[in-house]
Amino acid sequence: MSIRRALILSPLILAALFAAAYFALVYWLESAGGRQALEKTMADRIGMPVSLGGDFDIRLLPSVGVSGTQLLVSDPVTGEEVATGNYYETDLALAPLFREELEIRHVLIEGLKLKLPDGNGLFFPRISVGAFAFNRPTDFEVDWSWMGRLDGQFAWHPEESRLWLDALWRVEDRDEIAYRGDIVIQPGKMSFADSELIVGDQAVNGEGCLLLDGGPELNLLLAADRLDLDALLENIPAGQGDPESLPVQLNLRLDAAEIRRGGIVARETRLEVGGQPSCR
């Protein structure tokens, strides 16, 4: 074969080899081995067993990905159901696929249900997460339907059961609510440390916990510089700032340099709602 002919045919041969390898990996993805590999990759990332049932479809364009209609996450110790999803969709990195390895770049889940320790649950119509890895910030976005949209970054530190969160909550016709801090997750309890909450242009700092056993109870010890309570309470989506309308029992102690409400100004004062906050 002449050099000229070899130069002409080489790109065609390489393209044919690439196409053959590409369709071979697609065939592998569609097989039981591909489904099991995706289950294992997801499980390794979140530290819990993952099962993918129902439909299992391959997407080639605009990027390689997999979608399905049934996702189940289980407790690694008890085997009990922790979360379920009605639909999932993943974007996969192409290069690792040629080694029959999976690298997830993005995951979208619709109809996500999280089971809480008290038997109740949380429902998210739509949630998307970027390339996730332990101890590393990951982009996320949550569509909470009428409750608005939550997005930002989180980092999960499994050795401490600690979630670092930097998030922005947007609800129509209300000021944006930003949160930044650490959340330690324990059985029946979520603790908030070194946290900052910003509602519009007002900021509070402090700590607290959410107790889940025996009914949800939110306990907060907070401090602030200057607060306008009328403006602050109007931005609580649960019911115009009425503590009785909240879906949890609220126990709050807030120390502030200045608090304003209804034309009244109180300085160096303490606001208390409910009982004495306690993270027992």
Side-chain angles (χ1 to χ4, degrees):
M1 180 183 294
S2 67
I3 295 178
R4 180 179 179 184
R5 187 178 182 184
L7 291 174
I8 294 174
L9 291 179
S10 292
L12 298 177
I13 294 173
L14 290 175
L17 291 173
F18 180 84
Y22 185 81
F23 285 106
L25 70 87
V26 169
Y27 175 79
W28 171 73
L29 270 179
E30 291 177 332
S31 69
R35 185 190 293 249
Q36 292 168 2
L38 185 57
E39 289 175 339
K40 184 179 185 303
T41 300
M42 288 183 167
D44 290 344
R45 289 300 179 90
I46 67 174
M48 296 181 179
V50 175
S51 176
L52 303 176
D55 297 337
F56 190 78
D57 300 315
I58 309 302
R59 185 191 70 243
L60 301 180
L61 295 173
S63 61
V64 178
V66 173
S67 63
T69 56
Q70 190 179 94
L71 181 145
L72 172 65
V73 179
S74 305
D75 186 288
V77 177
T78 66
E80 295 182 354
E81 177 184 298
V82 174
T84 60
N86 296 331
Y87 174 82
Y88 64 88
E89 185 177 291
T90 67
D91 289 334
L92 304 174
L94 181 58
L97 284 173
F98 290 101
R99 303 188 298 271
E100 293 192 356
E101 297 175 0
L102 297 183
E103 180 181 322
I104 299 174
R105 289 182 169 177
H106 179 263
V107 176
L108 179 146
I109 302 175
E110 295 181 353
L112 177 65
K113 297 178 183 178
L114 300 180
K115 185 178 179 180
L116 298 178
D118 62 358
N120 294 316
L122 294 174
F123 178 77
F124 302 94
R126 183 184 179 97
I127 179 170
S128 63
V129 180
F132 171 74
F134 292 143
N135 305 309
R136 188 180 71 185
T138 302
D139 295 330
F140 76 96
E141 182 177 306
V142 177
D143 181 354
W144 236 337
S145 187
W146 64 272
M147 289 284 286
R149 184 178 300 273
L150 184 71
D151 59 57
Q153 287 189 324
F154 73 92
W156 174 241
H157 303 274
E159 69 282 355
E160 306 170 43
S161 295
R162 178 172 59 88
L163 177 72
W164 171 81
L165 183 62
D166 185 357
L168 189 62
W169 187 8
R170 299 179 177 90
V171 181
E172 188 176 358
D173 298 326
R174 300 180 189 272
D175 289 336
E176 295 179 343
I177 299 177
Y179 173 85
R180 183 183 180 94
D182 287 315
I183 303 173
V184 177
I185 301 174
Q186 301 169 298
K189 179 180 178 181
M190 299 172 62
S191 301
F192 313 97
D194 299 324
S195 298
E196 181 181 42
L197 184 69
I198 302 175
V199 182
D201 58 357
Q202 303 188 80
V204 295
N205 299 272
E207 59 186 23
C209 64
L210 176 62
L211 303 178
L212 300 172
D213 292 338
E217 180 181 309
L218 182 60
N219 297 276
L220 298 173
L221 294 170
L222 304 176
D225 186 12
R226 292 176 174 81
L227 292 178
D228 182 334
L229 288 185
D230 291 327
L232 186 66
L233 296 177
E234 285 177 0
N235 285 286
I236 298 178
Q240 300 300 323
D242 178 9
E244 297 297 326
S245 66
L246 294 173
V248 299
Q249 167 64 39
L250 176 62
N251 301 316
L252 167 70
R253 191 180 77 191
L254 170 66
D255 294 316
E258 179 181 292
I259 295 180
R260 295 176 176 268
R261 186 169 192 184
I264 299 175
V265 179
R267 293 183 172 84
E268 302 299 333
T269 189
R270 171 172 292 178
L271 172 67
E272 295 181 326
V273 177
Q276 178 68 21
S278 174
C279 291
R280 56 184 181 278

